[in-house]
Amino acid sequence: MNATANRTNSPEWNCIHTNDSATMFPTNFAWGAATSAYQIEGGWDVDDKGPSIWDTFCHEGGRLVFEGQSGDVTCNSYELWEEDLRCIRQLGLTHYRLSLSWSRLLPEGITQHVNQKGLRYYNKVINDLLASDVLPMVTLYHFDLPQALQDQGGWKSPEIAAIFDSYARFCFETFGDRVKLWITLNEPYVCAKLGHEDGIFAPGVKEPGMAAYLVGHNMLRGHARAWHSYNVLYRAKQGGSVSLAINSDWAEPLDPASPDDTAATERYLAFTLGWFAWPLFVTGDYPEVMRSSIEVRSKELGYQEGSRLPRFSKDEPSLLGTADFFALNYYTSRRVKQGECCPGVLGLKSDQDAEGVVDPSWPVCGVSWLAVVPDGLRKLLKYVKDTFNNPAVYITENGFSQVGPVDMEDVQRCGFYHDIIQEVARALREDGVDVRGYFAWSLLDNFEWADGFSVRFGLFHVDFSRPERPRTAYRSGREYAGIISKYRSQTMVNT
Ligand code: NOJ
């Protein structure tokens, strides 16, 4: 039975009424929610913070951010952190995933100049979380490169890997006595593709078929250096884990009987998940199908200078083995067919030569790209287990959005959280996937990048029209709290 149909209208906390009592989660399962610095903090130029590429992108005219909005103030979490903590406690989270604003800590991106007030802010956040029995998962980079580094070439420049490594070391050194779960980079695919191919995310570069591969490459190099730094300098005394958050749709052939669709599906997954997971978990290099597709297409285009997909140098720290767990951001699924992209066009889409379509039976929630397919998560988790050597997995993001008039009694999202947690449970119990935690995106309604405030992912509604930015739990926030409390108490009974 659909979970939503089985639910009462009672507004109290712990309001789930389902017959899934067989569902169990491991004792230490992480029940989390996630946010990112630019999306919630505001305080974009206070207390010595340097500008980031998102500050620039939103402030420059002619960018395609919804109604010219920006993250200048957003949830104002820089001032209102204690309100966020109240929300975190209300949900009963065991973990909270946040990101550090690189340019708040290091205004020019380099460790020669540290902003003490930024340092104080993050120390308070981390200490308050721990004092509330909530473990932080900290992302070092969530789309917001210091503008000063962009001015030197940003992620396209090979030097960025070493600069990121020194920022990472600074963070490990400063916060690593208390932070045990680290994400180096969030969604390098999105930074590469939306930021440097389509140009719809900061820094707004549009160099199809070229820049994205270079950016992805330097992000991987930066990640690998940071992981090796942690491994050599901090692991023994701090005992934490470090990974890279990789986003991917689940994908399956539009026509399962069609060899073309099957091959296109393989390319689709290779160009998203595989691009960043293969180097870390399988070979230390990009998936073979990605290399060969790009090479073939490059030749067709008469491209002379070797592949557009760079090679990893043997003189640099190796990529293979540089993830202590698999950090997966899952939102949606696609059925895939061979691409219809015109040959002769330079671009990722034409290299990939695969097109994902939404199955008409899948509901689309809020934003057009977000077809809601909870069982796609289970399938993707199984694929991750089988393809990447059974890693420990944290689902570091997953969510359901709302657009249009605010609906505080969001029963559909309640049903969604119920269904998705059931899929996680099945992956654990029936497929044997080593899932360690689930982070809902997002704790709060926030600045949804190019969609501004028009798309709301929060478990808490934020009233952006009022200076106090009041936070109010959606019904789905109460539902998620109920799910957490139910499974945590089951776990406790059984331990
Ligand atoms: C993934 C990104 O990491 C996050 O910043 C974004 O808000 C969500 N997807 C929803 O689009």
Side-chain angles (χ1 to χ4, degrees):
M1 184 197 277
N2 179 304
T4 316
N6 205 10
R7 188 170 290 109
T8 70
N9 285 326
S10 133
E12 323 83 46
W13 293 86
N14 302 339
C15 59
I16 45 171
H17 299 281
T18 56
N19 53 4
D20 54 14
S21 52
T23 306
M24 288 297 298
F25 286 86
T27 326
N28 294 331
F29 193 81
W31 292 101
T35 58
S36 90
Y38 186 75
Q39 293 179 275
I40 67 162
E41 283 179 7
W44 77 277
D45 65 346
V46 302
D47 290 349
D48 200 24
K49 176 183 170 291
S52 81
I53 54 173
W54 269 95
D55 294 315
T56 310
F57 189 74
C58 293
H59 294 161
E60 270 174 11
R63 296 301 190 185
L64 294 172
V65 177
F66 179 77
E67 290 184 352
Q69 294 170 345
S70 77
D72 286 1
V73 182
T74 178
C75 309
N76 199 13
S77 293
Y78 187 63
E79 299 289 335
L80 300 174
W81 152 247
E82 285 173 8
E83 293 305 306
D84 297 355
L85 183 62
R86 202 177 47 78
C87 300
I88 291 166
R89 293 171 60 105
Q90 217 172 322
L91 293 178
L93 301 183
T94 63
H95 289 65
Y96 177 57
R97 178 176 174 225
L98 67 139
S99 83
L100 307 177
S101 159
W102 186 344
S103 66
R104 189 180 301 288
L105 282 167
L106 311 178
E108 289 90 36
I110 48 173
T111 51
Q112 282 81 345
H113 173 189
V114 178
N115 168 15
Q116 294 302 327
K117 290 187 175 158
L119 204 63
R120 215 172 301 150
Y121 173 68
Y122 291 119
N123 271 325
K124 176 164 172 51
V125 168
I126 291 165
N127 292 342
D128 286 356
L129 285 169
L130 293 173
S132 300
D133 269 335
V134 178
L135 300 179
M137 174 184 270
V138 172
T139 305
L140 298 177
Y141 182 76
H142 197 123
F143 302 172
D144 50 351
L145 192 73
Q147 182 59 42
L149 298 179
Q150 184 62 37
D151 296 342
Q152 295 162 41
W155 289 108
K156 279 173 66 181
S157 154
E159 275 79 54
I160 193 76
I163 301 174
F164 177 73
D165 180 35
S166 41
Y167 163 57
R169 286 183 194 204
F170 168 81
C171 296
F172 298 149
E173 179 72 37
T174 311
F175 306 115
D177 55 334
R178 289 152 292 153
V179 174
K180 304 300 165 192
L181 287 168
W182 293 100
I183 301 291
T184 53
L185 304 165
N186 181 68
E187 299 194 347
Y189 174 88
V190 169
C191 300
K193 170 87 166 44
L194 274 59
H196 297 81
E197 168 103 3
D198 307 335
I200 55 170
F201 273 26
V205 172
K206 282 190 197 164
E207 292 171 7
M210 304 296 295
Y213 297 131
L214 199 56
V215 164
H217 194 71
N218 288 329
M219 293 188 100
L220 281 166
R221 290 177 54 243
H223 160 80
R225 281 176 180 247
W227 184 89
H228 283 285
S229 290
Y230 191 83
N231 203 37
V232 172
L233 302 171
Y234 299 102
R235 188 184 299 281
K237 61 176 179 227
Q238 296 184 349
S241 307
V242 181
S243 191
L244 168 82
I246 302 176
N247 62 292
S248 185
D249 301 347
W250 169 241
E252 52 195 39
L254 182 63
D255 172 3
S258 152
D260 282 350
D261 290 2
T262 305
T265 305
E266 193 198 340
R267 289 194 301 278
Y268 190 92
L269 284 168
F271 273 79
T272 47
L273 188 70
W275 182 354
F276 298 97
W278 218 267
L280 271 50
F281 290 93
V282 187
T283 57
D285 195 6
Y286 299 111
E288 192 41 48
V289 69
M290 185 176 177
R291 276 218 174 279
S292 56
S293 305
I294 297 170
E295 262 163 37
V296 167
R297 191 68 65 184
S298 299
K299 280 198 189 119
E300 282 169 13
L301 291 165
Y303 187 83
Q304 302 296 329
E305 300 141 56
S307 178
R308 287 171 286 125
L309 187 63
R311 296 226 165 248
F312 294 107
S313 157
K314 300 242 174 328
D315 303 331
E316 292 210 18
S318 77
L319 264 291
L320 189 61
T322 63
D324 300 322
F325 56 92
F326 202 108
L328 180 67
N329 291 2
Y330 168 80
Y331 283 88
T332 190
S333 294
R334 290 292 182 268
R335 297 217 187 281
V336 178
K337 57 181 183 173
Q338 184 148 357
E340 283 162 12
C341 205
C342 18
V345 172
L346 186 62
L348 236 77
K349 217 176 153 198
S350 112
D351 290 335
Q352 185 183 29
D353 193 20
E355 199 182 324
V357 295
V358 170
D359 187 295
S361 72
W362 296 336
V364 172
C365 84
V367 264
S368 60
W369 56 268
L370 217 176
V372 185
V373 195
D375 70 349
L377 175 58
R378 177 181 175 188
K379 292 176 186 169
L380 186 58
L381 286 168
K382 176 78 168 52
Y383 178 87
V384 164
K385 177 189 176 203
D386 295 343
T387 313
F388 303 113
N389 198 20
N390 195 14
V393 183
Y394 284 88
I395 299 148
T396 36
E397 275 185 43
N398 172 252
F400 182 108
S401 70
Q402 209 183 81
V403 295
V406 174
D407 177 12
M408 295 304 298
E409 290 298 307
D410 52 348
V411 283
Q412 278 186 323
R413 183 152 48 185
C414 291
F416 165 77
Y417 276 117
H418 175 83
D419 293 347
I420 202 90
I421 296 301
Q422 288 305 303
E423 296 300 335
V424 176
R426 287 188 188 112
L428 264 160
R429 259 200 344 258
E430 294 171 35
D431 305 334
V433 184
D434 183 7
V435 189
R436 302 285 176 94
Y438 173 88
F439 291 76
W441 184 270
S442 175
L443 179 68
L444 305 171
D445 285 346
N446 60 49
F447 178 78
E448 177 55 15
W449 307 115
D451 286 325
F453 299 101
S454 67
V455 175
R456 297 180 298 275
F457 274 97
L459 293 161
F460 282 78
H461 172 259
V462 178
D463 185 347
F464 296 103
S465 69
R466 294 176 49 197
E468 322 82 68
R469 300 294 194 270
R471 285 97 160 114
T472 312
Y474 284 104
R475 182 175 176 148
S476 58
R478 302 196 297 270
E479 183 78 7
Y480 188 49
I483 292 172
I484 295 174
S485 133
K486 173 181 157 175
Y487 292 130
R488 284 190 75 190
S489 60
Q490 280 183 357
T491 314
M492 282 178 237
V493 166
N494 282 276
T495 48

